[in-house]
């Protein structure tokens, strides 16, 4: 693998972009287990290890539960630690996800979004990472390979910040991003190293025998609540740290990031909220509808945890109608997770716009521009009439 | 040795019981090691082993088998008694003891 000395434009898949970011981060420990569609990331990374391109201790574990357990332990020892997973692999980590977050281990984990079985399906939806949205991890969502690459590098700094100290999932859509060739800019290796710094992000180290520390002691009625409250504070502090890291990253890369991207929303009456690769398709639809004279725009959420609730309200409150697109369901029979979050945030506003929910793309079902156009057209109708015909729709399912 | 010695108890290193969330160590980390000794596990006991040095033949099987390191020994490795701050009353020491009456289990009495 050649090492870049200046920003290069390269053709990489999302998985290759993630593996490249990991090579440039050069973590101390990677423990990983293969699962489609993430497998390529750790497979390529293991090549970097074998070729001596990284100094990483690569641990070939027997399951994702072990992968997460291993990186929790290595992070506790002060080692910069990473893994990657998808779908049922993430589900198998479940128990340990909460432990990583509550022990405040700044692990960075690319998640290649895939439908959670069953019925068994290997294609994209967000049921895996959305299921883990309350596990205490920071969650960044990516529209394309460039964003996946940039988010992984920023995630190191966000998670390791002493006021945050939380693990970070960097999500990209399975196959749609992970296996599709994309044009992106890759930073020089030394710029990535300079940006992430020494790190490790731990106050105490399991391996510092001169200053022994106890990780994970019993934490009963008199302490657990205090530690959970601390964890919330780490998440709150991430509201400040994420833009700080993004500003520094923009200085290095020339690429800007925020909690969410507003696309042609300035004077928009109708805004659709989406995350992941569908944002790219939706931007084309916005352009086409703008050309037809419709005042429509898009909000693409990048940071779902912590939820930028106040900023979303600011962006959405003056709209005539809003639609939220969810690539997973909560099975609450009351809408998808993004809908719940955004609609909840809007409740504090007296003059809030009507908000409807479209659940789409489950199990890798294609989402077409014509379908997104339908979302905009129906939402424009809501804006005109102030009436929602229904609050939750299933877009692209055979009725 | 007092039968329920508390010398293993609070070392003064743990945060005060009324410490706020801003004061307790982040993530539940305790910035020192070896603190399992400070945790009282002896208050779960419903049966207690009672040691009789007159009957004991110093085979040390009780010390070997105790899962809680609650059988106390002196510098010469001789069994001297039970640390009731940690002893959970599982009865393994008594079951393994080859001498009747050297390590007998007795019901705990209700607290006076
Ligand atoms: S009763 Fe169990 S815990 Fe107590 S001294 Fe005997 S073996 Fe150890
Ligand atoms: S097992 Fe019984 S005889 Fe042997 S050392 Fe213990 S108390 Fe004494």
């Amino acid at each position: 693998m050649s090492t870049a000395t200046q920003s290069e434009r390269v053709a990489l898949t999302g998985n290759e972009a993630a593996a490249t970011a990991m090579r440039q981060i050069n973590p101390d420990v990677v423990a990983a287990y293969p699962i489609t569609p993430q497998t390529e990331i750790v497979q390529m990374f293991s090549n970097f290890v074998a070729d001596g391109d990284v100094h990483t201790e690569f641990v070939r574990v027997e399951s994702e539960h072990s992968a997460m357990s291993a990186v929790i332990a290595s992070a506790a020892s002060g080692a910069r630690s990473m893994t990657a997973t998808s779908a049922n692999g993430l589900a198998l980590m479940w128990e340990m996800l909460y432990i990583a977050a509550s022990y405040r281990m700044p692990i960075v984990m690319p998640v290649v979004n895939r439908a959670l079985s069953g019925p068994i399906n290997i294609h994209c939806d967000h049921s895996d990472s959305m299921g883990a949205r309350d596990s205490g991890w920071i969650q960044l969502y990516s529209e394309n390979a460039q964003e996946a690459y940039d988010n992984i590098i920023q995630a190191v700094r966000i998670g390791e910040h002493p006021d945050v100290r939380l693990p970070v999932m960097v999500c990209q859509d399975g196959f749609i991003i992970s296996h599709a060739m994309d044009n992106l800019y890759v930073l020089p290796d030394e710029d990535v190293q300079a940006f992430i710094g020494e790190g490790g992000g731990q106050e105490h180290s399991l391996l510092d025998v001169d200053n022994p520390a106890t990780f994970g002691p019993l934490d009963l009625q008199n302490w657990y609540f205090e530690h959970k409250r601390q964890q919330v504070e780490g998440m709150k502090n991430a509201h400040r740290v994420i833009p700080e890291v993004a500003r520094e990253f923009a200085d290095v890369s020339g690429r800007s990031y925020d909690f969410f991207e507003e696309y042609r929303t300035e004077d928009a009456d109708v805004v659709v909220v989406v995350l992941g690769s569908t944002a790219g398709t939706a931007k084309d639809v916005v352009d086409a509808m703008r050309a037809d004279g419709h005042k429509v725009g898009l909000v693409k959420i990048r940071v779902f945890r912590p939820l930028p609730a106040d900023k979303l309200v600011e962006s959405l409150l003056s709209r005539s109608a809003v639609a939220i697109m969810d690539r997973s369901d909560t099975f609450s029979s009351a809408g998808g997770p993004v809908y719940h979050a955004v609609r909840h945030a809007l409740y504090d506003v007296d003059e809030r716009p009507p908000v409807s929910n479209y659940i789409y793309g489950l199990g890798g079902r294609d989402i077409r521009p014509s379908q997104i156009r339908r979302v905009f057209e129906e939402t424009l109708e809501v804006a005109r009439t102030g009436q929602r015909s229904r609050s939750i729709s299933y877009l692209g399912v055979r009725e | 040795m007092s039968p329920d010695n508390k010398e293993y108890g609070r070392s003064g290193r743990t945060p005060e019981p009324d410490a706020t969330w801003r004061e307790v160590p982040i993530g539940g980390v305790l910035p020192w090691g070896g603190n399992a000794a400070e945790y009282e596990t002896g208050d779960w006991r419903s049966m207690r082993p009672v040691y009789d040095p007159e009957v004991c033949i110093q085979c040390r099987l009780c010390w070997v088998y105790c899962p809680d390191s609650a059988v106390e020994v002196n510098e010469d490795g001789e069994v001297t008694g039970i640390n009731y701050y940690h002893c959970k009353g599982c009865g393994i020491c008594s079951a393994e003891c080859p001498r009747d009456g050297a390590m007998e289990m007795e019901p705990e009495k209700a607290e006076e």
Side-chain angles (χ1 to χ4, degrees):
Chain A
M1 183 84 196
S2 67
T3 50
T5 51
Q6 55 184 40
S7 234
E8 279 186 324
R9 189 157 202 210
V10 291
L12 296 175
T13 66
N15 277 344
E16 288 169 344
T20 301
M22 286 174 72
R23 176 184 63 73
Q24 295 182 310
I25 290 164
N26 196 1
D28 301 310
V29 175
V30 168
Y33 193 80
I35 182 168
T36 302
Q38 168 276 138
T39 303
E40 286 181 336
I41 296 178
V42 292
Q43 186 184 329
M44 285 183 274
F45 189 78
S46 65
N47 282 344
F48 297 141
V49 175
D51 293 346
D53 292 330
V54 289
H55 77 236
T56 308
E57 182 73 32
F58 189 83
V59 190
R60 289 172 295 267
V61 287
E62 74 277 25
S63 76
E64 286 86 353
H65 188 281
S66 306
M68 186 47 60
S69 303
V71 292
I72 289 168
S74 62
S77 75
R80 189 173 262 157
S81 305
M82 296 182 75
T83 182
T85 196
S86 289
N88 292 56
L90 183 65
L92 188 52
M93 289 178 177
W94 220 260
E95 175 189 16
M96 305 314 292
L97 292 179
Y98 284 77
I99 291 172
S102 60
Y103 289 3
R104 313 294 295 275
M105 298 302 168
I107 297 155
V108 173
M109 175 164 70
V111 171
V112 183
N113 286 112
R114 158 184 157 182
L116 209 48
S117 299
I120 193 164
N121 180 300
I122 59 167
H123 289 282
C124 175
D125 70 31
H126 297 153
S127 52
D128 50 2
S129 61
M130 280 298 165
R133 69 191 184 276
D134 296 338
S135 62
W137 285 59
I138 289 170
Q139 287 193 332
L140 309 179
Y141 286 83
S142 318
E143 180 187 327
N144 48 41
Q146 181 76 70
E147 292 192 3
Y149 171 84
D150 291 344
N151 281 335
I152 290 168
I153 292 166
Q154 290 176 74
V156 175
R157 287 281 305 280
I158 296 166
E160 288 180 4
H161 193 286
D163 296 340
V164 176
R165 291 167 63 181
L166 286 171
V168 188
M169 279 179 209
V170 181
C171 304
Q172 59 166 294
D173 286 350
F175 292 106
I176 300 163
I177 301 176
S178 70
H179 285 62
M181 195 60 78
D182 216 341
N183 271 317
L184 64 149
Y185 291 94
V186 169
L187 291 168
D189 293 355
E190 60 269 23
D191 284 13
V192 174
Q193 277 298 313
F195 179 76
I196 61 174
E198 276 291 315
Q202 291 295 353
E203 201 179 342
H204 305 285
S205 165
L206 207 51
L207 295 183
D208 182 358
V209 289
D210 295 329
N211 300 289
T214 305
F215 288 76
L218 196 60
D219 205 45
L220 298 182
Q221 296 95 322
N222 199 38
W223 305 114
Y224 181 89
F225 202 170
E226 277 65 31
H227 287 125
K228 287 292 144 183
R229 178 61 187 82
Q230 281 181 343
Q231 215 179 308
V232 174
E233 198 66 8
M235 217 29 123
K236 284 187 174 182
N237 291 339
H239 283 279
R240 169 172 53 77
V241 169
I242 289 169
E244 282 172 13
V245 171
R247 270 192 295 278
E248 277 189 56
F249 188 75
D251 289 343
V252 179
S253 67
R255 293 183 293 278
S256 301
Y257 286 89
D258 210 332
F259 287 95
F260 51 87
E261 178 189 343
E262 294 176 299
Y263 186 75
R264 304 190 74 171
T265 54
E266 319 79 46
D267 60 342
D269 288 332
V270 158
V271 164
V272 167
V273 180
V274 72
L275 42 75
S277 63
T278 307
T281 318
K283 285 174 183 171
D284 276 352
V285 176
V286 167
D287 289 346
M289 294 192 70
R290 281 273 176 184
D292 294 344
H294 299 295
K295 287 185 174 175
V296 295
L298 184 81
V299 164
K300 179 191 77 187
I301 295 180
R302 169 186 177 235
V303 183
F304 189 64
R305 287 289 184 269
L307 185 74
D310 294 346
K311 293 186 177 66
L312 282 166
V313 169
E314 227 171 273
S315 174
L316 298 176
L317 68 88
S318 61
R319 312 301 169 188
S320 305
V322 172
I324 316 285
M325 293 182 67
D326 264 296
R327 202 163 193 154
S328 63
D329 203 343
T330 59
F331 301 97
S332 61
S333 77
V338 185
Y339 176 63
H340 285 179
V342 177
R343 198 153 172 263
H344 159 79
L346 281 164
Y347 187 81
D348 283 337
V349 187
D350 292 334
E351 298 284 307
R352 52 187 176 266
V355 184
S356 38
N357 191 202
Y358 290 84
I359 290 169
Y360 75 98
L362 302 191
R365 176 68 49 89
D366 270 343
I367 176 77
R368 298 171 185 285
S370 60
Q371 292 168 324
I372 300 174
R373 194 177 180 104
R374 200 190 106 196
V375 172
F376 276 110
E377 281 168 355
E378 289 181 1
T379 312
L380 281 165
E381 187 59 22
V382 175
R384 261 191 299 277
T385 61
Q387 300 288 319
R388 295 184 308 177
S389 55
R390 60 187 176 281
S391 53
I392 300 154
S393 311
Y394 290 84
L395 189 65
V397 76
R398 291 184 296 277
E399 301 274 2
Chain B
M1 172 145 324
S2 68
D4 289 284
N5 72 74
K6 299 278 182 183
E7 72 205 31
Y8 294 94
R10 288 178 52 77
S11 61
R13 297 183 297 187
T14 42
E16 290 306 312
D18 60 353
T20 69
W21 66 266
R22 293 175 195 278
E23 294 161 342
V24 298
I26 296 281
V29 169
L30 293 174
W32 56 81
N35 46 62
E38 293 171 29
Y39 190 62
E40 182 173 6
T41 49
D43 55 358
W44 307 348
R45 209 170 43 235
S46 60
M47 300 281 284
R48 67 160 58 195
V50 177
Y51 174 65
D52 185 348
E54 302 300 323
V55 189
C56 171
I57 56 167
Q58 292 298 346
C59 69
R60 276 82 146 175
L61 278 176
C62 55
W63 175 79
V64 168
Y65 279 99
C66 173
D68 279 286
S69 306
V71 174
E72 296 188 318
V73 292
N74 64 19
E75 281 173 6
D76 300 324
E78 290 165 347
V79 173
T80 58
I82 302 294
N83 164 11
Y84 290 112
Y85 191 75
H86 295 134
C87 168
K88 294 176 190 162
C90 67
I92 291 174
C93 53
S94 178
E96 296 299 332
C97 177
R99 293 281 286 171
D100 281 348
M103 193 70 93
E104 291 302 318
M105 299 304 289
E106 290 180 5
E108 281 289 340
K109 296 182 193 71
E111 277 184 31
E112 277 114 49

